[in-house]
Amino acid sequence: MKKTILYILMILVLGQHKSFAFTCPEAPKPKINFSMRKTPTKFNFSKTTKQLTAANLTKSAQWAGWINEGIMSSKFPNYKISAKLKGLTYPDVGKACYWIDTINFNWVFSPTIFVAKEYKRGSCKYNTVINHERQHVKIDIAILKKYRDKIKNNLRKQALYPITSGLVNSNAKVNLLKKVEDDLAPLIERMVKERTIEQGKIDTVEEYTKLGNMCK
């Protein structure tokens, strides 16, 4: 009877040890690597008004007979988010644990101003178009400054706790960044919507009629 009891106890101890060995370790909180910067504004004078109009079909469709003399392009929003993962594998049982070590957020604001090649540098039309497109650049910069801390705080809030996979099959496809992206998405969408509204305030028939009359 004593041998039987001892044998059962040994099984329980070994079972507990095995269970403990294949559990995930306590993961650290993610670090945040945040970068948002502006590159010098580029200028492009290689396109005609016809080419610029074709490139901006939304305006052309909106206003019949509309001709584009300049465009500001910044590929907004132009950010990349990625994660550096770390993990622990148990090859004997085909299990693994993963967690986010670092969240990388990088936004490079790189505006390009296009001015129709028909307009000579220094001419009234050239200067009018350049000044208007620079206003678009300023609006983008103002929006980015407004949302910079909001984006950073969102990521910091998400990084208050470890982001882990738990114990999974070692060949499982793990996307721990999806939750981070999904949580950030509404804020990015709100920023893009506000940016569209603000940019639209200087892209009106009245504004362009005023600018056109300046160079008669």
Side-chain angles (χ1 to χ4, degrees):
M1 187 67 178
K2 289 183 179 179
K3 289 182 179 180
T4 303
I5 293 174
L6 180 60
Y7 181 69
I8 293 172
L9 288 174
M10 288 177 66
I11 292 176
L12 289 172
V13 171
L14 288 173
Q16 290 174 356
H17 175 72
K18 185 175 182 180
S19 175
F20 173 77
F22 298 112
T23 57
C24 294
E26 184 178 351
K29 295 185 292 185
K31 298 183 287 291
I32 302 294
N33 182 16
F34 186 93
S35 174
M36 187 180 283
R37 62 188 179 87
K38 178 189 178 300
T39 63
T41 301
K42 296 178 182 178
F43 296 87
N44 188 311
F45 309 101
S46 66
K47 309 292 184 182
T48 64
T49 53
K50 184 176 181 180
Q51 290 172 319
L52 292 177
T53 301
N56 199 7
L57 293 176
T58 53
K59 285 290 183 293
S60 302
Q62 201 172 16
W63 304 327
W66 183 259
I67 296 175
N68 268 112
E69 300 172 317
I71 295 175
M72 190 283 291
S73 172
S74 63
K75 298 179 181 179
F76 198 102
N78 188 35
Y79 71 92
K80 293 181 180 179
I81 185 168
S82 62
K84 177 183 177 183
L85 300 184
K86 287 190 176 180
L88 181 66
T89 60
Y90 301 105
D92 293 342
V93 293
K95 297 292 183 180
C97 304
Y98 302 99
W99 59 87
I100 293 182
D101 178 72
T102 307
I103 299 172
N104 302 300
F105 183 93
N106 183 36
W107 190 318
V108 179
F109 176 59
S110 184
T112 299
I113 290 177
F114 293 82
V115 179
K117 66 187 298 183
E118 293 96 322
Y119 304 138
K120 294 181 180 180
R121 299 189 186 190
S123 66
C124 176
K125 183 65 75 172
Y126 173 93
N127 290 333
T128 299
V129 174
I130 284 280
N131 290 336
H132 175 80
E133 300 307 327
R134 279 178 171 156
Q135 292 302 311
H136 283 300
V137 174
K138 288 181 179 180
I139 289 172
D140 274 3
I141 291 174
I143 293 293
L144 288 172
K145 285 182 177 179
K146 178 178 179 179
Y147 279 86
R148 177 187 175 93
D149 288 342
K150 295 179 187 293
I151 295 171
K152 188 183 291 186
N153 289 337
N154 176 283
L155 296 174
R156 284 176 174 171
K157 184 177 180 180
Q158 295 196 64
L160 288 175
Y161 304 97
I163 301 175
T164 70
S165 67
L167 192 64
V168 298
N169 291 330
S170 56
N171 60 354
K173 293 183 179 180
V174 177
N175 184 5
L176 296 179
L177 191 61
K178 186 179 186 304
K179 180 182 179 302
V180 177
E181 293 176 310
D182 289 348
D183 193 271
L184 184 63
L187 179 59
I188 298 294
E189 290 173 7
R190 189 160 68 247
M191 177 180 65
V192 172
K193 183 177 180 180
E194 183 174 338
R195 183 250 187 179
T196 300
I197 293 171
E198 293 301 314
Q199 293 288 11
K201 290 179 179 178
I202 64 170
D203 272 343
T204 63
V205 173
E206 292 77 17
E207 179 66 17
Y208 278 98
T209 300
K210 174 184 174 183
L211 293 175
N213 290 334
M214 292 175 63
C215 297
K216 283 188 175 180

